[in-house]
Amino acid sequence: MDAMLDTEGKETSATHGAYRRLREMILTGELPPGQKLKIEQLRGILDTGASPVREALSLLTSDMLVERIDQRGFRAAPVSKCNFEEILLLRCNLEETALRASITNADAPWEDRLVLRHHHMKKASQNGARDFEDAHKAFHMALLDNSKLPLLLRYCSQLYDLNIRYRYLAAGGSSYKKRDIAAEHQQILDAALNHDADSATRHLIDHYRRTGEYLSSQMEP
Amino acid sequence: MDAMLDTEGKETSATHGAYRRLREMILTGELPPGQKLKIEQLRGILDTGASPVREALSLLTSDMLVERIDQRGFRAAPVSKCNFEEILLLRCNLEETALRASITNADAPWEDRLVLRHHHMKKASQNGARDFEDAHKAFHMALLDNSKLPLLLRYCSQLYDLNIRYRYLAAGGSSYKKRDIAAEHQQILDAALNHDADSATRHLIDHYRRTGEYLSSQMEP
DNA sequence: GTCTCCAAAAATATCGATATTATTTGACAT
DNA sequence: ATGTCAAATAATATCGATATTTTTGGAGAC
């Protein structure tokens, strides 16, 4: 009768709530890479018991956002240029596979979804960066999700998150609108709607490489 | 002073022990796909508390061997022909990438490791299936690990495990020695030692496809 | 002045118990 | 008979406390 005093009745379980909050804090850099994550300390921040915190950290381990050292607790996953470049490489490879499969399966409902997500993303770009981030991910995942390959989608989603972490770390999350990113998205969308797999994947990969090179240049060796 | 009464002093933490044991039980089919995994019941089997069991199940969730339904507990991940085919597809894609990278970085220590693993695998094929499984995985991972791409290796390892689960389910783990698998391994090894990436990846993928088709034919739609 | 070793402190891992939530059972009405 | 609802049952999620392990800090020896 005490667990329902949350600000909202939105969160179903304490574990899930802690998971979402911690994930957010790690992605945005509020919990910096390599930082020791002490249960007691987090218990305070998240206002919940030790068990949900432990379980949330376990779940984040699978997302590769937290490292677990047996008998020695948890820490936020470290970052490195090497790691960043691997993420970029794998994204290019996996997203190309997924996008091609999506286009192979192309149908009207998918195209509708794409157009809608793209529209929402454009609208959200006028709001805060947080809203845009969500809409941006939704658009990119919509490009891929017609592949009907759940494992592949899961990997793409994971790698996407690992990548935005580097964006936040490099430039506070605002490094975005500096290039003409809207035009790049439009090109990808158009090619996808035309079922032109070669063009779509080329634009998508260019999109990633360009952001990747910018971020890479911002990092120490 | 009670945690050390195990048969051996090998296991460091109860969680890790439970993790390994549960993983084994799911991979081999002792816990069949879709089975409800009740904490109390597992607590009995694994002879430990509820917390380590919960945490082990959380970790297995990341390996995609266990599904978690919020507020409704855990169950062994379901299987399907679709899922199997996706695993095969991704393995071909990711392992090709990893093997090519490994060969690009080829050096003497790696080649030594390969030869050694291959030798151990041949020796283990005379022992039990369990020993062979371990040696077989070690050989395949050795092929890839010179890529120096930890994320990619992690995915390959995960997919490898998901795949051997299907082998156990289809044929009790012994469907193996029916084809001349030794010759296939030899071809892959030779090509890798010759730094012939095209040949090595071709043999590797053929190796997977052949096993895949056999297993696929054994399954209902 | 530096190193080693032991005691104190802190943090993790684990347990047992309780509160919450899902599931089943059975009685009642249709 | 059958469908619905409420009480009983079972299972999960969470808490608070304890045992184990790691880390810290300092005293004594070289």
Side-chain angles (χ1 to χ4, degrees):
Chain A
M1 73 173 74
D2 170 55
M4 262 304 159
L5 292 180
D6 304 9
T7 43
E8 307 153 322
K10 204 177 61 179
E11 288 306 354
T12 148
S13 68
T15 297
H16 198 236
Y19 170 76
R20 307 228 314 180
R21 182 91 184 81
L22 281 173
R23 175 195 181 82
E24 182 92 4
M25 292 202 292
I26 293 171
L27 285 183
T28 60
E30 192 176 339
L31 289 173
Q35 173 147 126
K36 185 111 219 304
L37 302 175
K38 301 184 200 171
I39 308 283
E40 270 309 304
Q41 168 198 333
L42 296 176
R43 226 191 63 90
I45 296 174
L46 301 169
D47 187 38
T48 185
S51 311
V53 172
R54 272 189 79 77
E55 205 158 322
L57 289 171
S58 274
L59 293 172
L60 287 164
T61 295
S62 16
D63 298 337
M64 293 177 291
L65 289 169
V66 165
E67 263 189 5
R68 173 190 190 143
I69 309 134
D70 207 72
Q71 226 83 16
R72 211 160 301 179
F74 301 87
R75 58 181 56 234
V79 294
S80 67
K81 188 160 186 166
C82 226
N83 181 243
F84 175 73
E85 279 162 4
E86 187 182 358
I87 290 165
L88 182 62
L89 176 84
L90 291 179
R91 291 228 299 159
C92 289
N93 184 341
L94 294 179
E95 294 210 15
E96 169 156 3
T97 305
L99 181 54
R100 284 185 185 277
S102 267
I103 291 174
T104 301
N105 299 334
D107 55 11
W110 177 56
E111 290 165 20
D112 293 354
R113 228 156 53 221
L114 274 187
V115 171
L116 213 66
R117 288 298 172 202
H118 185 252
H119 175 67
H120 287 159
M121 182 177 65
K122 281 201 297 192
K123 248 183 16 188
S125 69
Q126 291 150 0
N127 303 355
R130 180 85 254 128
D131 278 357
F132 179 71
E133 280 302 345
D134 292 344
H136 184 250
K137 179 170 181 181
F139 172 66
H140 274 278
M141 291 309 295
L143 282 167
L144 311 178
D145 74 5
N146 209 44
S147 65
K148 314 278 174 50
L149 297 168
L151 295 177
L152 179 56
L153 289 173
R154 185 186 155 118
Y155 288 149
C156 288
S157 171
Q158 247 180 45
L159 291 168
Y160 182 97
D161 288 342
L162 290 177
N163 189 67
I164 72 174
R165 184 167 178 233
Y166 280 94
R167 273 213 316 268
Y168 274 107
L169 293 171
S174 68
S175 85
Y176 233 131
K177 291 147 200 162
K178 297 185 176 159
R179 222 171 52 239
D180 188 6
I181 222 141
E184 294 177 27
H185 285 138
Q186 188 70 54
Q187 286 177 315
I188 299 168
L189 175 67
D190 290 343
L193 293 176
N194 286 330
H195 304 180
D196 183 344
D198 291 336
S199 170
T201 53
R202 187 159 29 81
H203 286 305
L204 184 67
I205 288 177
D206 282 354
H207 178 58
Y208 289 148
R209 288 253 161 76
R210 241 172 282 179
T211 325
E213 270 159 30
Y214 170 70
L215 289 179
S216 215
S217 71
Q218 301 264 70
M219 297 177 70
E220 60 266 28
Chain B
M1 73 174 73
D2 170 57
M4 262 305 158
L5 293 179
D6 305 9
T7 43
E8 307 155 322
K10 202 175 62 178
E11 288 305 353
T12 146
S13 69
T15 297
H16 199 236
Y19 171 77
R20 307 229 316 180
R21 182 92 183 77
L22 281 173
R23 175 195 182 81
E24 182 94 2
M25 290 202 292
I26 293 171
L27 285 182
T28 60
E30 193 178 339
L31 290 173
Q35 172 146 128
K36 185 108 218 309
L37 302 174
K38 300 183 200 174
I39 308 283
E40 270 309 305
Q41 170 197 334
L42 296 176
R43 226 192 62 90
I45 297 173
L46 302 168
D47 187 39
T48 184
S51 311
V53 172
R54 273 189 78 77
E55 205 160 323
L57 289 170
S58 275
L59 293 173
L60 287 164
T61 295
S62 19
D63 298 338
M64 293 176 292
L65 289 170
V66 165
E67 262 189 7
R68 173 189 189 144
I69 309 136
D70 206 72
Q71 226 79 18
R72 212 161 301 176
F74 301 86
R75 60 181 54 237
V79 294
S80 68
K81 188 161 186 169
C82 227
N83 180 243
F84 174 72
E85 279 162 3
E86 188 182 356
I87 291 165
L88 182 61
L89 176 83
L90 291 179
R91 290 227 298 159
C92 288
N93 184 340
L94 294 180
E95 295 210 14
E96 169 157 4
T97 305
L99 181 53
R100 283 185 186 279
S102 265
I103 290 174
T104 301
N105 298 335
D107 55 11
W110 176 57
E111 290 164 21
D112 292 353
R113 228 155 54 221
L114 275 186
V115 171
L116 213 65
R117 289 298 173 199
H118 184 253
H119 175 66
H120 287 160
M121 181 176 64
K122 280 201 297 192
K123 248 185 14 190
S125 70
Q126 290 151 358
N127 303 356
R130 179 85 255 129
D131 277 357
F132 179 69
E133 280 302 346
D134 291 345
H136 184 250
K137 179 170 182 181
F139 171 65
H140 274 279
M141 291 309 295
L143 282 167
L144 311 178
D145 75 5
N146 209 44
S147 65
K148 313 277 173 55
L149 296 169
L151 295 177
L152 179 57
L153 288 173
R154 186 185 153 121
Y155 287 148
C156 288
S157 171
Q158 247 180 43
L159 291 168
Y160 182 97
D161 289 341
L162 290 177
N163 189 68
I164 71 173
R165 184 168 178 231
Y166 280 93
R167 273 213 315 268
Y168 274 108
L169 293 170
S174 68
S175 84
Y176 234 128
K177 291 148 199 158
K178 298 187 176 158
R179 223 172 52 242
D180 187 4
I181 221 140
E184 294 178 27
H185 284 140
Q186 188 69 56
Q187 286 176 315
I188 300 169
L189 174 66
D190 290 344
L193 293 177
N194 285 330
H195 303 183
D196 183 343
D198 291 335
S199 170
T201 54
R202 186 157 30 80
H203 286 305
L204 183 67
I205 288 178
D206 282 354
H207 178 58
Y208 289 148
R209 288 252 160 77
R210 241 172 281 180
T211 326
E213 271 158 31
Y214 169 70
L215 289 179
S216 213
S217 72
Q218 301 263 68
M219 297 176 69
E220 60 266 29

